[in-house]
Amino acid sequence: KQEVTQIPAALSVPEGENLVLNCSFTDSAIYNLQWFRQDPGKGLTSLLLIQSSQREQTSGRLNASLDKSSGRSTLYIAASQPGDSATYLCAVYGGATNKLIFGTGTLLAVQP
Amino acid sequence: DGGITQSPKYLFRKEGQNVTLSCEQNLNHDAMYWYRQDPGQGLRLIYYSQIVNDFQKGDIAEGYSVSREKKESFPLTVTSAQKNPTAFYLCASSEGTGKAKNIQYFGAGTRLSVL
């Protein structure tokens, strides 16, 4: 059974810092991995999608990497801003289940 | 605007009452999903539907029911059999469920509380 873990559960950094969020998964037979952002009381916004054949994806100050063989992904946020404060979720899709399996998220607070 | 609309935003349920959460999409997507989100537990799949008039149980279907009579609509009923319904409910849709079509788009959610 696929399990997705995110570390740390919560993170507080001063504005301007570069930071890394971690995601690990137990079954490497995935089709793709997504990173989402969730603001308090809101739905999910997709940030980056990495296909299993890709190593990384970039969007603005965000860079996500994927090491499928080791079951790991990282989300790198450059020059963090208070507006980046939110919960970040990773999710993997693959195998025969046709399901998106989510991690428990990392709550990020960027202090001005 | 294309997207997914969930209503209501907040919902209160009395003990023994069934309540229905609405989810509508105008993305022309075949697949739709319902998730439950509890603090510290991430999202868990309740039900999903790959096509009209068909749906499958997810990981936590007990105490819930769904219907898929129209492509654009996938309502979720929280029945009185669900003893702990307080949670944030998210609806999503995707073009399909295959490898190239599984990207899911989410609604804004409904927060359900028990009175």
Side-chain angles (χ1 to χ4, degrees):
Chain A
K1 178 183 175 184
Q2 178 75 271
E3 292 183 2
V4 181
T5 304
Q6 290 187 246
I7 295 173
L11 181 63
S12 180
V13 300
E15 182 177 3
E17 270 204 9
N18 302 327
L19 58 99
V20 174
L21 307 181
N22 297 292
C23 173
S24 61
F25 46 95
T26 54
D27 185 351
S28 62
I30 64 170
Y31 291 147
N32 56 53
L33 181 146
Q34 275 185 274
W35 282 94
F36 294 89
R37 169 183 172 139
Q38 185 177 30
D39 293 294
K42 305 290 186 182
L44 274 63
T45 300
S46 182
L47 297 173
L48 290 164
L49 168 74
I50 310 176
Q51 300 290 355
S52 61
S53 58
Q54 298 174 318
R55 297 284 292 182
E56 64 179 306
Q57 282 285 337
T58 298
S59 176
R61 294 182 294 108
L62 305 179
N63 176 275
S65 67
L66 174 64
D67 184 342
K68 203 174 92 164
S69 61
S70 68
R72 294 179 184 176
S73 176
T74 61
L75 179 67
Y76 175 83
I77 302 177
S80 58
Q81 303 170 357
D84 294 330
S85 298
T87 296
Y88 291 80
L89 295 154
C90 71
V92 298
Y93 182 87
T97 61
N98 287 336
K99 296 178 185 177
L100 198 58
I101 307 298
F102 285 84
T104 53
T106 293
L107 176 61
L108 173 65
V110 181
Q111 308 299 330
Chain B
D1 282 337
I4 301 175
T5 302
Q6 289 187 241
S7 62
K9 187 172 182 179
Y10 299 98
L11 186 59
F12 298 91
R13 193 190 89 166
K14 296 179 181 178
E15 195 168 335
Q17 186 182 42
N18 293 351
V19 293
T20 298
L21 285 61
S22 171
C23 179
E24 304 276 332
Q25 55 99 359
N26 61 4
L27 300 168
N28 199 35
H29 284 171
D30 283 323
M32 297 186 74
Y33 313 80
W34 275 106
Y35 293 92
R36 170 178 172 143
Q37 187 177 30
D38 295 281
Q41 293 196 43
L43 275 70
R44 293 181 290 168
L45 183 64
I46 305 173
Y47 268 98
Y48 66 102
S49 168
Q50 298 184 67
I51 199 166
V52 174
N53 293 321
D54 179 68
F55 48 83
Q56 308 291 331
K57 292 182 179 180
D59 299 317
I60 55 165
E62 186 175 351
Y64 299 98
S65 66
V66 293
S67 63
R68 187 84 188 277
E69 298 176 1
K70 298 187 296 183
K71 186 176 185 177
E72 59 271 23
S73 179
F74 191 40
L76 173 73
T77 296
V78 184
T79 74
S80 57
Q82 173 49 246
K83 298 307 179 186
N84 183 25
T86 297
F88 191 52
Y89 291 85
L90 286 161
C91 178
S93 72
S94 65
E95 190 177 344
T97 55
K99 181 178 177 181
K101 298 183 177 182
N102 70 291
I103 310 306
Q104 294 185 20
Y105 299 84
F106 285 80
T110 293
R111 185 164 299 281
L112 175 62
S113 301
V114 176
L115 291 176

